[in-house]
Amino acid sequence: MHYGTVIPARFLERPNRFIARVDSADGELICHVKNTGRCRELLVPGAVVYLERAENPNRKTAYDLIAVEKGGLLVNMDAQAPNRVFGEWAEAGGFLPDIRAVRPEYSYGASRIDFCLETARGAHLVEVKGVTLEENGHARFPDAPTERGVKHLHELRHAVEQGLSASLVFIVQMEGMRDVSPNDGTHPAFGAALREAAAAGVGVRAFTCTVKPDSVAVSGEIPVIL
């Protein structure tokens, strides 16, 4: 996926989870943060961030904060990017080779699952989770408790028990990670639900991305450590 006009800036502060103050070549700006997660290890004062100019000229905030440099690592933190990246990749046959249709926001049970992939072998449900938390070259999910994520895992497990196929896919929004594992210290219930889902037959896979200030694309698969 590609962004439009992207400019660099320096992060100053995040008054609330929706907006940030940054210092750019055009002076101080208030921008929208495209991730309502904590991101405390990413958005630190002085960090280089990247902003995309909004297409709507009448919007209150003219830019969206989409990426940040963490040391020498560029992390895309746009919460909408993982689904867009996966959707484009899946449509091109990257995830399953015999793809016939990609249906986003698929209603199943009491949830909306991110994708239903139609293949020659039948339907395959996919829930996508974007990963921005990194610890010494290892990716972790989640960075904050996610009851919604636990609910989705229960739905995927139920789908498999009913005879469907399903996967939980981690899209790691950075390069160079060795593996992904559940962040049990932050949300043990998610880790437990992930292990139960995997034991029931839900596929659990993770893919890193090539990240540039103005683009994100799946680059390769890495192990998931349960």
Side-chain angles (χ1 to χ4, degrees), residues 1 9 15 17 29 35 70 74 90 95 103 127 132 158 184 208:
M1 62 163 284
R17 62 179 183 158
L29 301 172
N35 191 318
K70 180 187 179 186
L74 179 59
F95 185 68
R103 303 191 183 281
E127 183 65 20
T132 62
H158 178 71
D184 293 310
T208 55

Side-chain angles (χ1 to χ4, degrees), residues 1-3 6 66 74 76 85 209-217:
M1 62 163 284
H2 291 268
Y3 293 101
V6 175
I66 57 171
L74 179 59
N76 177 284
V85 168
C209 292
T210 297
V211 178
K212 299 179 181 179
D214 62 350
S215 67
V216 188

Side-chain angles (χ1 to χ4, degrees), residues 73 87 91 133 158 197 202:
L73 185 66
E91 286 182 349
L133 178 61
H158 178 71
V202 175

Side-chain angles (χ1 to χ4, degrees), residues 25-105:
D26 296 326
E28 187 173 308
L29 301 172
I30 301 295
C31 61
H32 171 63
V33 180
K34 295 193 75 174
N35 191 318
T36 57
R38 293 174 179 170
C39 304
R40 291 172 181 166
E41 78 287 351
L42 296 175
L43 295 180
V44 298
V48 175
V49 294
Y50 294 91
L51 317 177
E52 180 189 31
R53 186 187 296 276
E55 293 183 359
N56 182 357
N58 298 318
R59 217 179 70 168
K60 289 185 178 179
T61 51
Y63 288 92
D64 293 313
L65 195 160
I66 57 171
V68 58
E69 291 183 7
K70 180 187 179 186
L73 185 66
L74 179 59
V75 182
N76 177 284
M77 54 176 288
D78 177 358
Q80 297 174 4
N83 280 38
R84 289 180 58 190
V85 168
F86 179 84
E88 291 177 1
W89 182 59
E91 286 182 349
F95 185 68
L96 295 174
D98 55 349
I99 198 75
R100 291 181 173 177
V102 176
R103 303 191 183 281
E105 294 294 314

Side-chain angles (χ1 to χ4, degrees), residues 14 17-18 24 31 40 42 44 51 67 93 97 99 116 118 121 134-135 147 151 165 183 199 202:
R14 189 179 186 181
R17 62 179 183 158
F18 300 107
S24 75
C31 61
R40 291 172 181 166
L42 296 175
V44 298
L51 317 177
I99 198 75
C116 176
E118 294 185 4
R121 294 166 291 169
E134 175 270 343
E135 296 176 354
E147 296 301 331
K151 178 183 176 183
S165 61
N183 191 4
V202 175

